[in-house]
Amino acid sequence: MIQDLLAPAVLIGIASSGIRLATPYLYATIGETFGQLSGVLNLGVEGIMLMGAYSGFYVTFKTGNPVLGLLAAIVVGGLMGLGMAIISVTFQAEQGISGIGVYLFGLGMSDLLFQKSLGTVETVSGFQPVEIPFLSQIPVLGQIFFRHNLLVYAAFLLVPVAWFVINKTTWGLKIQAVGQNPAAADALGVSVSAVRYATVTLGGVLSGIAGASLSIGLLNVFQQNLTSGMGFIAVALVYFGGWSPVGVLLGSLLFSLVNALQNWVQVLGIPIPSDFAVMMPYVLTILALVFAVRKVTQPAALTKPFERGEG
Amino acid sequence: MLTSAPHRIQRVELRDIVKRFPGVLANDHVNFEVQAGEVHALLGENGAGKTTLMRILYGLYQPDEGQILIDSRPVTIESPADSIRHGIGMIHQHFMLVPSLSVAANVALGLRSTREPLLDLEVVKERVRQLAEAYSMLVDPDAMLWQLAVGEQQRVEILKSLYRGAALLILDEPTAVLTPQEVEEFFVTLRRMADEGHALIFISHKLHEVLSISDRVTVLRNGQVVKTLKTADTNRQELARLMVGREVLLRVKRKPVQLGPPRLVIQDLWALGDKGLPAVRGVSLEVRAGEILGIAGVSGNGQRELAQTLAGLRKATQGRVLIDGDDVTGWAPDRLIAQGLSYIPEERMEDGVIRDMTVEENMMLEDHGRPPFARGIFLNFSAIAEHCDRLIGDFEIKTPSRRTPLGNLSGGNIQKLILARSLSRTPSVLIASQPTRGVDIGSTEYIHQRLIAQREQGTATVLISEDLDEVRNLSDRIAVMYEGRIMGIVERDEATVEQLGLMMAGVPMEEAAGQTG
Amino acid sequence: MRKTYLVLATLLLAGMLLAACGGAATPAPAEEAKPFRVAVVMPSAINDLAFSQSMYDALSAIQAEKGEENFQFAYSDGLFVVDDAAAAIRDYASQGYDLVIAHGSQYGSSLVEIAPDFPETSFAWGTTVDTFADQGVTNVFAYEARSEQGGYVNGVMAAKLSESGIIGVVGPIETGDAKLYVEGFKAGVAATDPQAEVRVNWIGSFSDVALASEAAQTHINAGADVLTGTAQMVTGAIGVAKERGVLWFGTQSDQTSLSPEIVVANQVYHWEVVLNQMIDLIESGTLGGQAFAIDLANGGEVITYNPDFDLPAEVRSLAEDTVKGIADGSITITLP
């Protein structure tokens, strides 16, 4: 039984399934990484994902064009991110609570709109898997990596892009400085508010795309509470990933691959109680977090509003 | 990165500056002027308005009234970015640096890159090297900031300003974190910058430093300018009087006291710091009844952790602590207090008092459970009231009443309250950690007198301070702490600033004594 | 202070929106008329194409039959948080509804505390057989679906239609209605084609659509050509079945609309059968203490066939015979 897991077809299945499952986490975690690096903890990711998922779905449903749906998710996600920025940066509300507020808003609003506009679960034709010429023909690797929809490819391309932005651009330097020592950044003429508005809004955009990657990418349906807690897992994965795009990539992949693995474990009939199987991704991620020896410290100003002249 | 060619500022003038905060007039029609090529000291106690004035000049605050003129042209400075553009740089008391970034990245932060939006750290590094060489300030541009010693971090701060073409540098209490030798080096750098035509504003409350580095001094008191005078024409006594508004005893009189048996014995004590690395590494000390043992050292060398370990707030990983012969290692604070230990914490607002409670309640924090202040599980309010009123009188605590919320008191008065609370119990051992930091000169003087007087009660005092003058003035013996270790213990009369300074930089006692002859 | 207000305002706004998701399906009852009033609390959305929708559809059907002036109902859906559901149940009870339905097995522990406080109100709890009579509670009806019966019929068809002999099941958590259905399905397959293999994947959640979709992918990759599944998150699995072109059997509600290409048949619940019995009892003064079940015999469970799916006549008639056999007792389903 256990050796069945090592069959090539199964391994390929696990890998490609893990990659699909990791996609929404990647968008959400990278978006949240930007926000947290600049010092804003947005617990509302889940709510923004839901709104992104709904708006992407609805526009695709009405127009038949998933690109327009994606744009809608970007706009709606960005607006919600902007809202979180207004609450947490300008009004300096306690970030944990305002994030929960954003979550509840997204949860309730997406359901309300869904009930009023669609009324029942519908399906759409979203982004279809695109086989990349040549690459998809490579044995094994082609099957694992190059037969997904565009949103999956884009999520993985986002990792190096985010890394580059954070580490190699002046804006990335400002983000890090604002999250570590906002007073220092302010003293050098960096606008702490502007940086945080930008990162939190960007985080909203990416969370919106994360939701759309479900509703018009992976699933092609929308229903109440579609994301069912993925946004909160994403926030945890940002801590796991030590606020680096590569780290959150590893975290998202680990969590998703173990989820894919437990799917196969059950399908192959390996005699492990299903309750234990579904616990595996959570348990392993926590274990990895506990035992991984890393010297990452969180952004010193995380969750702290900045006010000029407070020493 | 583009840096504007350093344009020279000839003269910066602040005219009739008024700044009000709720309930406080921080700057009251202040006039101040600084010229190229001079070091102009701004002297005053905490709360005199120095920092507020400079924050106005740097664009962190807006004045309610008054004008800023650069080379006789009025300017408005609305943000730090504005002031940087005008050629003004500020070195803050708490460094404005990002520990997780490299030196070059810290310098580059907020500047336009030559290849925007990409960083051009190579260009920055090269220019930092040139500047560092020009002003003989050794700094490795590739080093991560958290790896640097405090003195080096300060150099990064100065380089940052010079890089931005600062012609006027505001230095807010820059020597607080340096050893005496580092201060000397630092003064050489300041002199060189002044000679090159920079204007420098040096904020301090240390008289001897002001006297040794500045060309002119402006003294502030209660938000007003008392006087501006040439440094060459004044002296310590006069500056102290201008600053406090009355004659001040610069040295406390000490009666000789007969020392008793050892009350506090520390044997090979080890403790971990906040990051889980050893911060106290094998400290052994003995303090006798009636003695003050001073612990000098640059901040961050384990003094804070040592004090917390002695007070029962941090776990000792190895070694023993004895009070009056009893092994108290690992005891919780309440047992230590019962054993006669008192602790004046370094972070008084965080560890010493509760802001929102009244003066009276704060005074009773340690003793409210003991007779006569408690009868069974009930508080004896009349005893408490009597006790508090007496302490308020005895310790000259300025408060409208014992029922006033503590947060309304000034720093000096809060510290007096903590002192009163600690000393009223006639402790056998007193751990005083930075007892006068951030406290005005008047209160400092008073606290010093009380600490000295406490010797006569047979208290064994450990005085931890980063202010070397304070340690030298009060202590019978001086231990120097460096990287968690005691570098040596020097008798009061034998200790020279030079020797202590070398020890603070990690030179063992014998060697330090040898070097300074 | 303004920060506190802002946070409060945000929370209140969010709360309002959440509250707005439930709501009365009909206007408030007029004073003079005395219609029968039912309130229901449900864990998922009324349009989940599954468990909650089956109850909503049943209440709508009763209303259509009896008329709005005689029968009214209110609902709160999406109450996957049990504490929220408990609060809603208590609210409805105190508003004087004749029957308050706690539509979810997870609500039982709350209901047993609430019901004794409202002895004049009748409650119903499903799916279960427990009326709390052993705890002295007299005003709770229990209801369940004999979902193994429709599961068995689906299993018979699945075994006939599968060419690979591998059939995948996507389930939520191994308990209650879902477990019954899956056991019945397995029995149906085994009775029809002993060689066929049924693989079950419990995803551990009633709501994780993404994981349900990956579970379906996994089944198909492992060779399954017929799938079934239960609970509201199977929409994700149905999407995958459609994309990969494998057959689907639905349960709880009619899921044909989601993918007319690949849905073969559905077991559909008609709770109105048992609800009508409860209403009659309540009107005659009995407020609880009895357990009801819908099944193929009493018409509470119906197999619907997708008209757009070209089901071989032989399979269709086998299915219909199976339904008859179960209803008249000639076929008995043995569960493990």
Side-chain angles (χ1 to χ4, degrees):
Chain A
M1 284 288 194
I2 296 280
Q3 61 271 23
D4 291 349
L5 275 179
L6 300 175
V10 172
L11 291 178
I12 290 170
I14 291 173
S16 66
S17 171
I19 282 172
R20 276 191 302 269
L21 279 174
T23 298
Y25 289 119
L26 270 179
Y27 285 112
T29 52
I30 288 176
E32 181 72 4
T33 297
F34 274 99
Q36 290 199 16
L37 272 180
S38 75
V40 181
L41 170 73
N42 183 359
L43 285 181
V45 175
E46 172 88 356
I48 303 179
M49 282 176 74
L50 278 167
M51 285 298 287
Y54 168 75
S55 43
F57 181 87
Y58 181 72
V59 170
T60 307
F61 181 75
K62 283 291 168 195
T63 64
N65 185 343
V67 176
L68 291 179
L70 180 64
L71 284 176
I74 287 172
V75 170
V76 169
L79 285 176
M80 288 193 67
L82 188 64
M84 177 67 192
I86 292 170
I87 298 168
S88 61
V89 179
T90 301
F91 292 104
Q92 310 197 342
E94 209 281 321
Q95 290 177 9
I97 298 192
S98 37
I100 295 295
V102 169
Y103 159 60
L104 291 174
F105 174 84
L107 176 68
M109 187 57 121
S110 63
D111 188 41
L112 180 68
L113 292 172
F114 166 61
Q115 306 282 6
K116 298 294 170 202
S117 65
L118 297 170
T120 184
V121 180
E122 300 277 1
T123 57
V124 292
S125 173
F127 288 97
Q128 300 302 318
V130 177
E131 297 199 2
I132 300 203
F134 306 115
L135 291 177
S136 61
Q137 301 309 316
I138 304 172
V140 185
L141 292 182
Q143 284 167 282
I144 295 174
F145 293 110
F146 300 111
R147 296 183 183 180
H148 297 289
N149 71 57
L150 285 174
L151 290 177
V152 176
Y153 300 128
F156 282 82
L157 282 177
L158 194 58
V159 175
V161 170
W163 178 87
F164 187 84
V165 168
I166 290 167
N167 293 295
K168 294 289 169 190
T169 67
T170 51
W171 191 54
L173 185 62
K174 287 178 191 171
I175 292 171
Q176 293 183 61
V178 163
Q180 290 285 353
N181 190 344
D186 182 57
L188 292 176
V190 175
S191 166
V192 175
S193 301
V195 169
R196 288 185 172 173
Y197 260 89
T199 55
V200 177
T201 305
L202 175 65
V205 166
L206 291 176
S207 296
I209 299 176
S213 77
L214 287 170
S215 68
I216 55 174
L218 186 61
L219 305 172
N220 296 325
V221 294
F222 181 84
Q223 65 190 54
Q224 185 188 51
N225 194 22
L226 182 80
T227 51
S228 70
M230 296 175 97
F232 290 103
I233 300 282
V235 174
L237 288 174
V238 172
Y239 280 76
F240 176 91
W243 296 272
S244 100
V246 179
V248 299
L249 169 70
L250 293 177
S252 302
L253 276 179
L254 173 73
F255 185 80
S256 305
L257 283 171
V258 176
N259 232 335
L261 172 72
Q262 67 89 7
N263 258 332
W264 275 95
V265 164
Q266 291 200 50
V267 166
L268 292 175
I270 293 171
I272 298 173
S274 65
D275 307 293
F276 289 117
V278 296
M279 263 191 259
M280 273 166 61
Y282 301 90
V283 171
L284 263 170
T285 308
I286 290 168
L287 286 181
L289 189 57
V290 171
F291 288 108
V293 182
R294 289 171 303 127
K295 284 199 169 174
V296 183
T297 46
Q298 70 177 43
L302 186 59
T303 77
K304 292 184 190 132
F306 174 70
E307 200 152 14
R308 185 176 282 172
E310 278 187 346
Chain B
M1 300 269 167
L2 296 171
T3 45
S4 51
H7 62 282
R8 290 291 175 228
I9 292 178
Q10 288 308 319
R11 193 156 169 274
V12 172
E13 204 180 337
L14 292 152
R15 218 178 258 172
D16 280 326
I17 298 291
V18 176
K19 178 71 185 174
R20 294 180 198 90
F21 292 112
V24 187
L25 189 54
N27 284 157
D28 182 5
H29 296 90
V30 171
N31 287 291
F32 179 80
E33 173 244 24
V34 61
Q35 294 182 352
E38 75 163 342
V39 178
H40 193 147
L42 194 55
L43 182 68
E45 300 200 62
N46 285 318
K50 302 172 302 222
T51 302
T52 303
L53 187 67
M54 289 302 110
R55 284 186 166 175
I56 289 171
L57 178 54
Y58 193 59
L60 287 165
Y61 293 153
Q62 298 307 306
D64 296 326
E65 290 172 35
Q67 261 191 323
I68 301 171
L69 298 96
I70 296 179
D71 293 339
S72 306
R73 277 179 298 112
V75 291
T76 47
I77 300 178
E78 288 183 344
S79 69
D82 278 354
S83 74
I84 292 167
R85 215 171 304 122
H86 285 299
I88 300 171
M90 182 156 180
I91 312 300
H92 297 264
Q93 199 171 349
H94 304 286
F95 295 151
M96 295 294 189
L97 295 166
V98 183
S100 57
L101 298 177
S102 71
V103 169
N106 265 285
V107 173
L109 179 63
L111 289 176
R112 271 193 73 77
S113 157
T114 50
R115 357 179 247 147
E116 200 73 33
L118 305 185
L119 283 170
D120 58 350
L121 289 183
E122 290 309 317
V123 182
V124 177
K125 281 176 198 166
E126 189 46 43
R127 176 110 174 87
V128 166
R129 274 192 206 98
Q130 288 170 5
L131 276 175
E133 210 165 302
Y135 292 95
S136 51
M137 291 187 286
L138 282 183
V139 169
D140 172 13
D142 283 314
M144 297 306 283
L145 213 86
W146 54 267
Q147 298 172 316
L148 300 186
V150 180
E152 291 175 293
Q153 295 189 13
Q154 188 169 53
R155 276 176 249 159
V156 177
E157 278 283 34
I158 294 172
L159 283 171
K160 244 165 65 179
S161 286
L162 293 175
Y163 195 101
R164 285 164 168 73
L168 167 64
L169 268 186
I170 306 164
L171 303 144
D172 189 2
E173 306 261 3
T175 58
V177 292
L178 304 180
T179 65
Q181 277 80 7
E182 284 177 321
V183 169
E184 268 175 44
E185 273 175 50
F186 177 64
F187 281 179
V188 171
T189 307
L190 291 193
R191 232 337 111 201
R192 182 180 297 204
M193 290 198 291
D195 292 345
E196 295 237 335
H198 287 91
L200 300 167
I201 301 174
F202 181 84
I203 304 177
S204 182
H205 63 262
K206 290 186 185 169
L207 301 172
H208 63 273
E209 288 182 358
V210 167
L211 287 166
S212 80
I213 185 68
S214 68
D215 300 296
R216 285 194 293 166
V217 192
T218 293
V219 182
L220 282 180
R221 188 171 75 230
N222 294 335
Q224 294 175 317
V225 172
V226 181
K227 200 171 188 183
T228 297
L229 25 74
K230 282 214 169 84
T231 312
D233 300 342
T234 185
N235 59 44
R236 224 173 139 91
Q237 199 63 42
E238 183 189 14
L239 288 179
R241 184 168 44 77
L242 291 172
M243 190 158 97
V244 183
R246 59 178 167 84
E247 287 298 333
V248 180
L249 295 172
L250 287 170
R251 254 173 207 277
V252 190
K253 295 205 177 61
R254 303 164 49 94
K255 271 196 266 176
V257 167
Q258 188 60 44
L259 296 189
R263 300 201 81 162
L264 173 68
V265 178
I266 306 169
Q267 295 171 343
D268 190 32
L269 191 69
W270 290 69
L272 300 181
D274 293 339
K275 289 182 177 153
L277 301 171
V280 178
R281 306 198 289 176
V283 167
S284 296
L285 292 169
E286 226 180 71
V287 193
R288 299 169 66 181
E291 184 184 37
I292 297 180
L293 174 74
I295 296 186
V298 177
S299 116
N301 275 292
Q303 302 98 310
R304 180 172 147 263
E305 290 81 0
L306 174 64
Q308 289 177 343
T309 311
L310 293 177
L313 302 175
R314 191 176 282 273
K315 213 175 133 218
T317 49
Q318 199 180 315
R320 295 206 304 163
V321 180
L322 293 93
I323 293 179
D324 290 332
D326 292 330
D327 188 340
V328 300
T329 319
W331 283 20
D334 61 332
R335 282 184 81 192
L336 288 170
I337 290 168
Q339 180 76 7
L341 179 113
S342 269
Y343 173 48
I344 301 177
E346 173 176 341
E347 300 288 343
R348 61 173 167 267
M349 293 314 289
E350 278 154 37
D351 299 338
V353 291
I354 300 170
R355 270 190 96 89
D356 298 331
M357 285 170 56
T358 64
V359 168
E360 177 180 57
E361 287 162 336
N362 271 288
M363 234 167 221
M364 297 314 301
L365 279 181
E366 286 173 334
D367 289 319
H368 63 270
R370 292 174 227 281
F373 309 119
R375 280 184 303 217
I377 60 164
F378 299 102
L379 291 173
N380 180 351
F381 286 104
S382 58
I384 290 173
E386 189 194 327
H387 178 73
C388 290
D389 286 338
R390 187 162 46 75
L391 289 185
I392 289 170
D394 281 1
F395 284 80
E396 300 172 14
I397 300 167
K398 285 188 198 124
T399 172
S401 87
R402 61 183 147 78
R403 302 268 175 169
T404 305
L406 184 102
N408 296 356
L409 269 56
S410 74
N413 281 303
I414 291 174
Q415 192 70 341
K416 282 196 226 166
L417 181 148
I418 294 175
L419 190 78
R421 190 174 69 195
S422 302
L423 298 188
S424 66
R425 300 190 294 120
T426 321
S428 50
V429 172
L430 174 67
I431 313 292
S433 204
Q434 317 286 0
T436 61
R437 183 155 77 184
V439 170
D440 57 279
I441 279 211
S443 302
T444 298
E445 184 192 358
Y446 182 80
I447 290 168
H448 284 174
Q449 283 169 357
R450 295 298 301 221
L451 290 174
I452 294 281
Q454 196 62 30
R455 300 185 310 153
E456 291 164 31
Q457 312 289 321
T459 297
T461 303
V462 178
L463 168 72
I464 297 175
S465 176
E466 284 153 25
D467 183 343
L468 196 51
D469 295 335
E470 177 172 80
V471 172
R472 291 181 66 223
N473 277 340
L474 299 184
S475 311
D476 297 290
R477 290 183 299 147
I478 301 166
V480 179
M481 205 164 170
Y482 175 76
E483 296 198 336
R485 292 199 174 84
I486 300 295
M487 301 311 290
I489 301 176
V490 192
E491 290 294 328
R492 166 190 177 78
D493 303 326
E494 296 161 10
T496 63
V497 177
E498 292 73 23
Q499 185 191 358
L500 293 174
L502 286 168
M503 287 164 72
M504 283 160 74
V507 179
M509 179 170 68
E510 295 74 22
E511 215 177 297
Q515 278 187 29
T516 56
Chain C
M1 279 315 277
R2 69 172 182 188
K3 291 176 200 170
T4 318
Y5 285 132
L6 195 76
V7 172
L8 274 176
T10 313
L11 287 173
L12 283 174
L13 184 62
M16 250 164 55
L17 282 163
L18 280 176
C21 300
T26 51
E31 279 300 319
E32 62 278 19
K34 278 275 179 189
F36 193 88
R37 293 166 72 222
V38 177
V40 60
V41 173
M42 303 182 277
S44 51
I46 54 159
N47 47 15
D48 65 353
L49 289 180
F51 189 65
S52 296
Q53 181 160 359
S54 66
M55 178 56 76
Y56 179 82
D57 289 348
L59 291 167
S60 303
I62 297 174
Q63 188 173 51
E65 180 200 320
K66 297 195 178 211
E68 250 184 56
E69 66 283 4
N70 299 317
F71 184 87
Q72 299 185 339
F73 72 98
Y75 65 90
S76 292
D77 67 345
L79 295 180
F80 48 89
V81 178
V82 173
D83 284 345
D84 294 347
I89 292 169
R90 195 174 276 282
D91 280 351
Y92 283 128
S94 57
Q95 287 166 24
Y97 279 85
D98 300 298
L99 172 63
V100 178
I101 305 172
H103 189 54
S105 42
Q106 64 267 47
Y107 301 151
S109 54
S110 307
L111 190 63
V112 73
E113 289 174 8
I114 298 170
D117 295 347
F118 300 93
E120 301 298 308
T121 303
S122 176
F123 295 87
W125 175 39
T127 55
T128 181
V129 293
D130 187 0
T131 63
F132 305 121
D134 54 335
Q135 298 180 45
V137 178
T138 56
N139 57 339
V140 174
F141 291 113
Y143 61 90
E144 64 164 345
R146 302 287 302 275
S147 55
E148 77 276 15
Q149 297 189 351
Y152 187 95
V153 181
N154 278 353
V156 167
M157 285 187 274
K160 281 284 174 198
L161 294 177
S162 172
E163 286 166 19
S164 67
I166 299 172
I167 297 161
V169 179
V170 180
I173 293 170
E174 193 171 357
T175 181
D177 187 70
K179 186 176 178 185
L180 265 183
Y181 172 77
V182 173
E183 297 297 356
F185 185 85
K186 280 159 85 173
V189 172
T192 311
D193 180 1
Q195 302 302 313
E197 189 185 344
V198 179
R199 293 164 168 178
V200 186
N201 191 341
W202 300 103
I203 68 158
S205 162
F206 285 92
S207 57
D208 197 332
V209 187
L211 197 53
S213 102
E214 277 309 319
Q217 291 277 13
T218 307
H219 278 305
I220 296 167
N221 287 341
D225 61 352
V226 176
L227 296 181
T228 187
T230 172
Q232 59 271 25
M233 79 299 163
V234 296
T235 48
I238 298 172
V240 170
K242 177 181 173 187
E243 182 188 316
R244 303 281 299 263
V246 307
L247 302 180
W248 178 265
F249 287 90
T251 182
Q252 296 181 334
S253 281
D254 194 324
Q255 294 159 350
T256 305
S257 66
L258 267 181
S259 296
E261 303 88 337
I262 51 98
V263 175
V264 180
N266 305 281
Q267 165 178 238
V268 178
Y269 292 170
H270 288 283
W271 296 110
E272 52 269 38
V273 175
V274 294
L275 289 176
N276 278 326
Q277 294 177 33
M278 288 180 210
I279 292 167
D280 292 346
L281 281 171
I282 293 166
E283 285 180 334
S284 65
T286 306
L287 296 183
Q290 294 188 30
F292 299 93
I294 49 170
D295 57 23
L296 291 173
N298 65 18
E301 287 175 6
V302 172
I303 302 295
T304 62
Y305 302 89
N306 174 7
D308 295 334
F309 182 80
D310 190 16
L311 184 65
E314 163 231 356
V315 180
R316 170 82 183 243
S317 65
L318 178 62
E320 284 169 354
D321 291 348
T322 309
V323 170
K324 273 194 210 102
I326 294 171
D328 65 21
S330 60
I331 297 177
T332 52
I333 304 164
T334 34
L335 299 179

